[in-house]
Amino acid sequence: MRDNFDAIISRNTLFWLLVTNVAVLSPLYQQATLWSIGICAICFVWRVGIYLGKVAAPPKLLVTSLAIGAATTLALVSSEIGLLNALVNLLILGYALKYIEMREQRDVKAIVLVGYFLIALTLLDQQGMLNTLHLFTVVIINTGILISVYQDKSNKFANLGFSVKLVLQSLPLAILLFVVFPRLGPLWLVPNMKSATTGLSDEVSFGDISKLTRSAELAFRAGFENLDGSTTGPANQDLYWRTLVMESYDGKTWRQDPSIKNLQRQAYFQKPQRDKAILTGQSRKIDYIVISEPSHQKWLYGLDEAFSDNSQVVELPDYSLYSLRSVDQRMSYRVTSYPDNVMELTLKDNTKKLNLALPPNSNLKTQALAKKFAQDYPDPQARLNAMMNYFAEQAYYYTLSPPPVGEQQIDDFLFENRAGFCAHYASAMVFMARASGLPARMVTGYQGGEYNPQAGYYSIYQYMAHAWTEVWLEGKGWQRFDPTAMIAPQRILDGFDATFDSQSSYLQDSPFSTLRMKQYPWLNELRQQLSSLDYYWSVWVLGFDEERKQQVLSKLLGDVTSSKIALMMIFSFIIIALVIGYYAGLFSQDTQQDPLNKRYQLVCQRLAKRGIPRPQGQAPQDYANDVVARLSDKHPRLAADFNALSQAFMALKYQPLTPEQSLQQQQQFMRLYRKLRLRLLRS
């Protein structure tokens, strides 16, 4: 087929281009600069004016000026927004500017092709179920626009229906390749977009974690896979999701050990190896899958002691999990935890020194209290128990809005304010343990989880962020101590909502959060059902790794071999080709009858049963005259309707009509056809 590049763009195509322009660009608003959004808005409004006939096409000088201004602005801000963000904005601006200067059908093809690139780019960053459905719809509309260039119809939805058929016909092949094709690792590293990080930080000061209690965002989800087939995990008080370990303290801020940060930087080129020699067959094992939400950071989550076979996950010496790449989209990884394992039975001298260090002349009152504990309780375990009981016996309070502290933070907290959040209590416990001669460190992560019985998984939100203490004991390794359990035991036993009012914490800044449905049972059940769909999508589509692939193929083929996979692919290709060929009419021996003729003949056949047959070769007008002559006395309405049907039929078949006239005659014919078909059937 030869392209008619000079053909005028139809209004049908222009209408769907307006729809697609918004649908393609709207998911990229987070990456677009204000300048890019402004230019896109100008181009869209101008195009609406052209569509409505209010304005003419813009002069080329204006389009060129916008392009030069946009390129200059991007060059100036590229260092601030990042290289990839700059390239995304450049593509967005190219799409918008080409859209406003569009004059011929070849311009439409260029816009459609760039639209496919933008859809693919969006899919790299937004792979949620709703995002995918949205982009799937945009693909259908974009394909319909391309079809309209070659096959324009007056009905706005005609080309869209053909596009739906094409896309649906491609789905079986896409599903087959998705299941069978090997999972390949990334062939290159894409520069990260400069996006705001969410969740925990690698530095913790008083009040940092309490800020997360005002966030209702989902941090990650975890689905347990027990041997008995159940999906429930450990009790809430055992759900300590380890994320970061803080060992350096300067009197104000807790930080990761520089040696750990150095390992993180080198992890992509040289993976650190954690000692697994302590694993035994008698160790209690917990298998689960974690689906992390985008945090634009690299630390991951796991219960103690966590191991993962995922090639993109690193097991650090401080028993945390670390991703080789920034978590810029949902990430699924499998974890096996051994909660009874001893963590670091033998402590190295440099590690011991680091976890005993205290800032000079810092919190002298707390140091004096710790030394008294050491004097009264020589046994380390008894000493730590006494410290824990100290928080329960004294008048301490757990609050989301702790009062401010001065330079001697822990002294002010322990002896003056006596009110704080988890970071306050964990910091004080670590400081006292170190001052009494016991190596200790702070661990940050999340505690608890909301169980969804519909799909059997746990949702962990940002407001569940938590900090606790680890103390190293001879012969026992690192042991967890959580002072929060002494001050607010319900926070640990039953979760965050058992202690704090959601309206004054994580829902205060989230007026549209779905967590507000929790107070209404039927709405909460609906929320969990919708969340279950998204969870299944994450597990079976986004998390479809080699292990799940082998499970599916084993159910289909039994023993999975290369020859069986090849035969399955060949057989599937043949079936798909036959189905497409059937719907394309390749196996039809007779030419398909025109639907207009078919409907007209059906009415004629029903009139023949009433004694008014149509002789072979008789013209439609002559037959209409016969029917009117025979029925006008007894059934005048029927005669008039058939005569009108015949006039519409002849106009559509033999008269040159404009698109508007053709549509009008088609509607008239279909209305009369449905009316006559039912009337003749009843009589």
Side-chain angles (χ1 to χ4, degrees), residues 21 47 84 287 299 350 478 494:
N21 183 267
R47 258 300 159 192
L84 185 57
D287 293 317
W299 34 87
N350 59 337
W478 291 106
D494 300 322

Side-chain angles (χ1 to χ4, degrees), residues 109-341:
K109 297 173 186 177
I111 292 172
V112 169
L113 292 178
V114 176
Y116 283 128
F117 275 104
L118 288 171
I119 292 169
L121 184 65
T122 306
L123 192 61
L124 289 176
D125 187 52
Q126 304 177 29
Q127 299 178 347
M129 184 176 65
L130 293 179
N131 299 110
T132 305
L133 288 175
H134 169 250
L135 294 175
F136 186 78
T137 304
V138 178
V139 167
I140 290 174
I141 299 174
N142 212 41
T143 306
I145 294 171
L146 189 61
I147 293 172
S148 70
V149 173
Y150 298 98
Q151 183 177 300
D152 184 48
K153 294 184 179 180
S154 56
N155 187 350
K156 282 187 173 64
F157 296 94
N159 293 321
L160 205 61
F162 187 30
S163 174
V164 171
K165 291 181 181 179
L166 289 179
V167 175
L168 291 179
Q169 286 174 358
S170 68
L171 277 183
L173 180 60
I175 294 173
L176 175 66
L177 295 176
F178 177 79
V179 173
V180 175
F181 204 78
R183 295 293 176 271
L184 301 177
L187 300 179
W188 59 83
L189 287 176
V190 178
N192 291 331
M193 295 185 182
K194 286 198 172 181
S195 305
T197 59
T198 60
L200 296 169
S201 171
D202 57 356
E203 295 184 358
V204 175
S205 301
F206 277 9
D208 283 353
I209 292 182
S210 63
K211 295 176 183 177
L212 289 178
T213 62
R214 301 175 71 90
S215 174
E217 292 185 11
L218 182 66
F220 62 97
R221 286 176 287 196
F224 290 89
E225 302 170 343
N226 302 321
L227 294 176
D228 59 0
S230 62
T231 57
T232 55
N236 195 82
Q237 62 265 28
D238 296 324
L239 291 176
Y240 280 84
W241 303 96
R242 187 188 201 89
T243 306
L244 292 161
V245 178
M246 310 293 178
E247 297 177 284
S248 298
Y249 182 56
D250 61 5
K252 292 183 179 180
T253 305
W254 289 92
R255 295 182 175 87
Q256 286 184 295
D257 176 24
S259 64
I260 295 295
K261 296 182 74 68
N262 187 49
L263 285 175
Q264 292 174 349
R265 286 190 291 267
Q266 298 176 357
Y268 188 83
F269 304 99
Q270 184 178 0
K271 287 188 178 182
Q273 296 294 323
R274 189 196 301 167
D275 186 14
K276 298 185 180 181
I278 56 175
L279 298 181
T280 64
Q282 289 74 32
S283 297
R284 185 159 54 101
K285 185 174 72 168
I286 304 175
D287 293 317
Y288 52 101
I289 182 172
V290 175
I291 302 172
S292 173
E293 293 295 304
S295 63
H296 309 289
Q297 297 169 335
K298 293 186 178 182
W299 34 87
L300 302 174
Y301 323 98
L303 302 174
D304 293 333
E305 175 187 0
F307 296 90
S308 178
D309 292 331
N310 192 304
S311 60
Q312 296 298 308
V313 177
V314 173
E315 299 153 356
L316 295 175
D318 62 2
Y319 299 93
S320 61
L321 298 178
Y322 187 76
S323 173
L324 293 180
R325 305 187 68 185
S326 179
V327 184
D328 295 323
Q329 58 190 33
R330 281 186 184 174
M331 177 180 178
S332 174
Y333 58 98
R334 293 182 176 276
V335 186
T336 299
S337 289
Y338 297 85
D340 299 330
N341 277 2

Side-chain angles (χ1 to χ4, degrees), residues 522-596:
W522 69 274
L523 284 177
N524 187 52
E525 184 177 355
L526 176 62
R527 176 183 71 90
Q528 291 194 332
Q529 288 177 346
L530 294 176
S531 298
S532 299
L533 293 176
D534 191 60
Y535 174 74
Y536 288 132
W537 172 265
S538 299
V539 171
W540 289 103
V541 179
L542 303 184
F544 192 79
D545 52 14
E546 282 297 321
E547 184 175 346
R548 289 204 178 274
K549 170 188 164 184
Q550 291 299 321
Q551 290 176 0
V552 172
L553 292 178
S554 297
K555 290 181 180 179
L556 294 174
L557 304 175
D559 294 333
V560 181
T561 62
S562 300
S563 58
K564 286 186 177 181
I565 293 177
L567 288 174
M568 185 186 76
M569 291 187 67
I570 293 173
F571 181 74
S572 301
F573 282 141
I574 293 174
I575 295 298
I576 293 171
L578 290 175
V579 171
I580 294 176
Y582 173 79
Y583 281 104
L586 297 179
F587 307 120
S588 177
Q589 295 182 358
D590 299 324
T591 57
Q592 189 175 5
Q593 188 177 5
D594 184 0
L596 192 68

Side-chain angles (χ1 to χ4, degrees), residues 364-665:
L364 299 180
K365 292 182 181 180
T366 304
Q367 291 194 43
L369 178 62
K371 290 176 182 177
K372 188 176 184 307
F373 276 118
Q375 183 179 358
D376 295 343
Y377 301 95
D379 178 64
Q381 185 67 57
R383 186 187 316 162
L384 292 168
N385 292 339
M387 290 179 182
M388 293 283 285
N389 290 329
Y390 177 80
F391 290 108
E393 293 167 356
Q394 301 296 318
Y396 287 101
Y397 302 95
Y398 199 64
T399 175
L400 298 178
S401 303
V405 293
E407 289 295 322
Q408 304 298 319
Q409 291 184 341
I410 297 178
D411 277 358
D412 289 351
F413 162 64
L414 281 179
F415 300 103
E416 300 295 335
N417 298 335
R418 293 178 175 268
F421 196 59
C422 61
H424 296 71
Y425 290 99
S427 295
M429 185 70 182
V430 174
F431 195 96
M432 286 195 299
R434 289 186 177 186
S436 72
L438 299 176
R441 60 192 185 184
M442 179 190 287
V443 182
T444 61
Y446 297 84
Q447 200 283 320
E450 180 195 32
Y451 183 65
N452 186 325
Q454 305 289 340
Y457 69 91
Y458 289 79
S459 296
I460 294 85
Y461 298 92
Q462 294 294 351
Y463 70 82
M464 296 177 181
H466 194 56
W468 59 93
T469 301
E470 280 187 348
V471 183
W472 188 86
L473 297 175
E474 190 75 35
K476 296 182 179 179
W478 291 106
Q479 298 290 304
R480 182 196 311 133
F481 291 88
D482 189 358
T484 299
M486 309 303 292
I487 310 301
Q490 294 304 117
R491 162 68 180 89
I492 305 302
L493 293 174
D494 300 322
F496 186 93
D497 290 316
T499 305
F500 298 107
D501 177 23
S502 60
Q503 300 297 329
S504 60
S505 54
Y506 58 87
L507 292 182
Q508 186 174 358
D509 298 334
S510 305
F512 304 108
S513 173
T514 57
L515 291 175
R516 291 184 175 273
M517 300 179 182
K518 292 173 70 173
Q519 55 186 318
Y520 306 105
W522 69 274
L523 284 177
N524 187 52
E525 184 177 355
L526 176 62
R527 176 183 71 90
Q528 291 194 332
Q529 288 177 346
L530 294 176
S531 298
S532 299
L533 293 176
D534 191 60
Y535 174 74
Y536 288 132
W537 172 265
S538 299
V539 171
W540 289 103
V541 179
L542 303 184
F544 192 79
D545 52 14
E546 282 297 321
E547 184 175 346
R548 289 204 178 274
K549 170 188 164 184
Q550 291 299 321
Q551 290 176 0
V552 172
L553 292 178
S554 297
K555 290 181 180 179
L556 294 174
L557 304 175
D559 294 333
V560 181
T561 62
S562 300
S563 58
K564 286 186 177 181
I565 293 177
L567 288 174
M568 185 186 76
M569 291 187 67
I570 293 173
F571 181 74
S572 301
F573 282 141
I574 293 174
I575 295 298
I576 293 171
L578 290 175
V579 171
I580 294 176
Y582 173 79
Y583 281 104
L586 297 179
F587 307 120
S588 177
Q589 295 182 358
D590 299 324
T591 57
Q592 189 175 5
Q593 188 177 5
D594 184 0
L596 192 68
N597 285 337
K598 186 176 181 180
R599 294 186 177 102
Y600 178 75
Q601 293 294 342
L602 178 62
V603 176
C604 293
Q605 290 171 7
R606 293 190 177 176
L607 285 171
K609 291 181 180 179
R610 297 189 55 148
I612 314 177
R614 179 190 177 195
Q616 186 174 4
Q618 187 178 30
Q621 183 61 61
D622 295 337
Y623 183 56
N625 294 336
D626 290 346
V627 172
V628 170
R630 298 276 297 272
L631 296 178
S632 57
D633 292 337
K634 295 183 179 180
H635 304 284
R637 186 70 252 172
L638 182 61
D641 287 344
F642 181 75
N643 185 56
L645 176 83
S646 300
Q647 300 306 316
F649 174 76
M650 290 184 290
L652 289 169
K653 294 294 290 184
Y654 308 118
Q655 294 180 14
L657 302 175
T658 64
E660 289 76 11
Q661 291 173 334
S662 177
L663 178 61
Q664 183 180 2
Q665 292 293 342

